[in-house]
Amino acid sequence: MEQVFSYIIGLGAAVMMPIIFTVLGLCIRIKPGDALKSGLKVGVGFVGLSIVTALLTSALGPALDTVVNIYDLQLHVFDMGWPAAAAVAYNTAVGAFIIPVCLAVNILMLFTKTTRTVNIDLWNYWHFAFIGAVIYFASDSLAWGFFGAIVCYIITLIIADMTAKKVQMFYKDMDGITIPQPFCAGFAPFAWGINKCLDKIPGVNKIDIDAEGMKRKFGLLGEPLFLGVIVGMLIGCLTCSSWKELVDKIPYILGLGIKMGAVMELIPRVTVLFIEGLKPISDATRALIARKFKGADGLNIGMSPALVIGAPTTLVVSLLLIPVTLFLAVILPGNQFLPLASLAGMFYVFPLVLPYTKGNVFKTFIVGLVVIILALYMVTNIAPWFTLAAKDVYAATQDGAVAIPEGFSGGSLDFAGSPLSWIIFQFTQNLKWIGSGILVVATMGLMWWNRVLIIRNQKAMIKAGSDRLQDME
């Protein structure tokens, strides 16, 4: 089983997504040529996103390493980045079986009407394997590991259901699509709560800055492209320890600025390919459901948040938070995690935040600031157990990507900094049976509540359809 699913994961999203979407398109009676075209566009989108992310990492990584060395910012938790975290997750006993286990849970929830999300985002299943692996090594129990992973999966599907309409209303051409990725899902409650609080503060509730408004008001200064160039150049300046070095490195500084600007400009263009590939599948799926299940509350396809990270507000706020995060990591008392490799994943904090802040740059920045501060402490807290898992995987595979330097613990902002995973870990490890009982009751309660909402929506849609039919008669 481990070899089979390692092979599937090893093919990568760029290879498997065209296959999945072509087969899915044929199953819902799209013409073979159109189905293949949709699948290929999604695959090309993943390739393009990988290239842009690699550009960001290759440009930003060495610059940040230089800054760390110049200002002696070494902390004790080494940032391994999401590729290493994914390698750790999938190369454990939990990761070997996470795909069939989670798919079985998804099917069971669909039959019991406790979800309406079909999660085909197989590559992000490593998030569920991650929390399961950390719990497994902390408790030395495979059963506890799968318990944590399954609880995380169920809660993520329910959050995907709860946020589906807001996601589809806020982002264009996202009908029938939802985002069941637990790193994003963990921040949705914070977005809702912080947004409510900000709306109750006089004066603050009047601040309404969106990315398009910034462009109109500030012109070039409000463009993500220009902001990327400026932030890139500022980081480049920080790599200089003297005025002479600053003058000598002007070509490097300008080049870093252009590369950061290119990332800000290319990400939205790449995400267009995802939408173009998904739209025929989404339209055909909704049409099929409407024909086969009269009045049913339609199913949603669970997809990667990569589809929507090109939103202008996401780009602007992520860019602004990169230097802020580095500053906070150094000054926050008790924090031992300095995010470097993980900063390329900053965009993925906001896909489920924007629908609640309605793209307001100010509110989104405040939400991002709060969750990043929490994330730094959560990564620091969970680092010892993540290190156990990483060292075990390294010993078994000799994978250099998961090697941790001597004297350091390992960590990653990507999901180790997610409130959802941290809460599940704390409840299972610190409160043991009591905490696990609370998780079971809370999860069952959410499933029941979600089922009530699904059935209520179905009845409302059946009634609305009946009323329309009577009006026509």
Side-chain angles (χ1 to χ4, degrees), residues 141-449:
S141 169
L142 189 59
W144 278 114
F146 274 111
F147 172 79
I150 291 170
V151 166
C152 183
Y153 189 74
I154 292 172
I155 294 175
T156 299
L157 288 180
I158 293 171
I159 292 176
D161 288 342
M162 292 166 58
T163 57
K165 287 186 178 179
K166 281 190 171 291
V167 166
Q168 292 162 14
M169 289 173 62
F170 180 78
Y171 297 107
K172 295 179 180 178
D173 300 320
M174 286 285 286
D175 291 341
I177 304 296
T178 189
I179 300 174
Q181 200 243 40
F183 182 65
C184 298
F187 301 123
F190 286 87
W192 174 83
I194 295 172
N195 187 63
K196 288 286 186 184
C197 292
L198 293 175
D199 283 341
K200 295 182 182 298
I201 301 175
V204 173
N205 55 12
K206 301 296 183 183
I207 301 175
D208 187 10
I209 306 172
D210 62 15
E212 294 302 320
M214 288 178 63
K215 292 180 186 179
R216 291 192 297 269
K217 186 172 182 178
F218 300 106
L220 180 62
L221 296 175
E223 291 275 358
L225 167 61
F226 186 74
L227 289 173
V229 172
I230 295 300
V231 171
M233 290 175 61
L234 288 174
I235 293 173
C237 290
L238 290 174
T239 65
C240 305
S241 57
S242 66
W243 284 107
K244 184 180 182 303
E245 187 177 2
L246 179 66
V247 173
D248 293 340
K249 293 180 72 171
I250 285 177
Y252 169 77
I253 293 169
L254 293 175
L256 184 59
I258 293 298
K259 288 177 182 178
M260 289 291 287
V263 170
M264 296 300 107
E265 186 69 17
L266 290 174
I267 284 179
R269 297 177 185 269
V270 169
T271 55
V272 169
L273 290 169
F274 288 115
I275 302 301
E276 289 179 357
L278 283 170
K279 188 167 175 51
I281 300 290
S282 174
D283 291 344
T285 301
R286 287 188 294 111
L288 178 65
I289 291 171
R291 289 196 308 270
K292 297 293 185 181
F293 306 98
K294 300 294 183 182
D297 191 20
L299 298 178
N300 290 312
I301 299 174
M303 278 298 298
S304 168
L307 273 65
V308 295
I309 63 169
T313 300
T314 293
L315 297 176
V316 169
V317 175
S318 298
L319 191 64
L320 294 175
L321 277 174
I322 287 175
V324 172
T325 301
L326 289 173
F327 177 71
L328 290 172
V330 174
I331 67 167
L332 286 174
N335 173 60
Q336 290 296 319
F337 177 63
L338 182 65
L340 295 173
S342 293
L343 291 177
M346 185 72 74
F347 305 105
Y348 293 92
V349 171
F350 301 105
L352 294 184
V353 172
L354 264 60
Y356 287 94
T357 61
K358 295 182 172 59
N360 187 315
V361 172
F362 172 75
K363 289 182 175 180
T364 305
F365 182 83
I366 296 299
V367 174
L369 190 63
V370 172
V371 300
I372 287 299
I373 291 172
L374 292 174
L376 292 174
Y377 283 117
M378 287 186 287
V379 176
T380 299
N381 177 259
I382 211 170
W385 294 277
F386 178 75
T387 304
L388 285 176
K391 287 185 175 180
D392 182 85
V393 170
Y394 178 72
T397 64
Q398 294 295 303
D399 185 352
V402 298
I404 298 175
E406 195 67 33
F408 285 83
S409 297
S412 171
L413 190 66
D414 308 81
F415 204 43
S418 169
L420 184 56
S421 66
W422 187 82
I423 289 170
I424 292 173
F425 178 81
Q426 297 301 326
F427 270 64
T428 55
Q429 296 309 300
N430 293 332
L431 300 178
K432 299 296 182 182
W433 289 102
I434 295 176
S436 301
I438 293 172
L439 284 176
V440 169
V441 171
T443 303
M444 296 295 289
L446 286 171
M447 293 172 69
W448 174 81
W449 181 51

Side-chain angles (χ1 to χ4, degrees), residues 118-154:
V118 182
N119 187 6
I120 64 170
D121 184 21
L122 300 182
W123 282 264
N124 279 318
Y125 275 39
W126 76 263
H127 291 267
F128 309 110
F130 177 89
I131 185 58
V134 173
I135 292 174
Y136 165 49
F137 280 93
S139 63
D140 196 26
S141 169
L142 189 59
W144 278 114
F146 274 111
F147 172 79
I150 291 170
V151 166
C152 183
Y153 189 74
I154 292 172

